Amino acid sequence: PIAVLDAKAGWALSARASGEPWKALKTLKEVLVQYQKLKDKDGEAFTHWALGGTWRIAGDMKKGLEHLLLALALFKKLKNSEGHSYICCALGGLYRMLGQYDLSGRYYHEANKRMRQRKDTFGIAYSYCGLGNVQRMAGHFKAALPFYKKAEKLYGTIGDRVSYAYTLWSLGTTHKLLGEYTQAHWAFYKADTLFKKTFLK
């Protein structure tokens, strides 16, 4: 039964990525109940993480935060370094959306430190991009640029075209806000090329 639940959770994340968060929420809620019945704490923690991100996409930041904090407590108890690291990234993103930039930056910095300790290239890039987004949204445009450039370089090395494209979009937006239109045009053009290759419109 656990393998089935794992598959259902994976399907829900695919539905979320396809722009159907409500379908994902329905399945994830069902999966969470089953993991709890089986006393599978790893599955429960993962599902809280998935629900947190899905509620954020669905526009309910309060519910998203509740699930992410539950996931964080579980991952800490399980001493799950990978889960803890990615929850920090998720909390950084959610607090950023709530306009709580200090908290957001704190979680992204913790995530970045943990990702570097684990030598998780994707996670390092993800947290660098998050740190850039915090600076940009807080109006610190020049401070955002080094973080984006570090993320851009790392995403390029692992071939993650989707994350790379979003980072380039953020980089282009920051250059635009600084009035650096040549650099902005280059970043937007490159992002557009990658978005087309990955069929994202």
Side-chain angles (χ1 to χ4, degrees):
I2 288 177
V4 174
L5 292 176
D6 292 347
K8 283 185 176 180
W11 177 89
L13 290 175
S14 296
R16 184 179 82 177
S18 300
E20 297 182 295
W22 299 108
K23 285 185 180 180
L25 285 170
K26 183 177 181 295
T27 299
L28 288 170
K29 287 177 188 177
E30 294 168 357
V31 167
L32 179 61
V33 171
Q34 293 303 312
Y35 277 134
Q36 289 170 334
K37 283 182 180 177
L38 292 167
K39 301 188 186 314
D40 183 337
K41 293 297 180 184
D42 287 291
E44 187 179 341
F46 178 85
T47 309
H48 277 303
W49 166 80
L51 279 164
T54 307
W55 275 117
R56 173 186 163 184
I57 292 169
D60 193 326
M61 302 298 163
K62 184 179 178 182
K63 284 185 181 176
L65 184 59
E66 287 173 4
H67 282 287
L68 290 179
L69 291 174
L70 284 168
L72 179 62
L74 283 168
F75 279 129
K76 281 182 176 179
K77 193 172 182 179
L78 291 163
K79 294 183 168 57
N80 185 320
S81 174
E82 181 178 26
H84 192 158
S85 302
Y86 278 94
I87 283 292
C88 285
C89 275
L91 284 167
L94 199 143
Y95 278 121
R96 187 183 78 242
M97 298 303 293
L98 290 171
Q100 298 184 40
Y101 302 129
D102 286 343
L103 259 179
S104 176
R106 197 180 310 163
Y107 275 109
Y108 274 131
H109 274 295
E110 183 179 351
N112 184 261
K113 180 182 176 182
R114 288 178 172 277
M115 297 296 188
R116 284 187 285 109
Q117 287 172 344
R118 295 182 61 252
K119 297 182 180 174
D120 182 334
T121 305
F122 171 81
I124 297 167
Y126 181 16
S127 55
Y128 273 139
C129 187
L131 286 165
N133 286 335
V134 174
Q135 295 295 333
R136 173 173 58 84
M137 290 182 71
H140 307 143
F141 305 130
K142 282 193 178 295
L145 292 175
F147 292 121
Y148 287 139
K149 287 176 181 176
K150 287 178 181 179
E152 177 197 357
K153 184 177 179 180
L154 288 169
Y155 280 137
T157 64
I158 60 175
D160 185 334
R161 293 186 295 183
V162 174
S163 301
Y164 190 10
Y166 279 112
T167 298
L168 285 165
W169 176 88
S170 297
L171 181 62
T173 299
T174 306
H175 279 306
K176 183 178 73 173
L177 291 165
L178 285 166
E180 298 170 352
Y181 299 117
T182 301
Q183 294 96 316
H185 181 269
W186 172 85
F188 284 138
Y189 176 79
K190 199 167 179 181
D192 183 54
T193 302
L194 287 171
F195 279 130
K196 286 176 179 174
K197 284 181 180 178
T198 51
F199 305 102
L200 291 170
K201 297 178 181 179

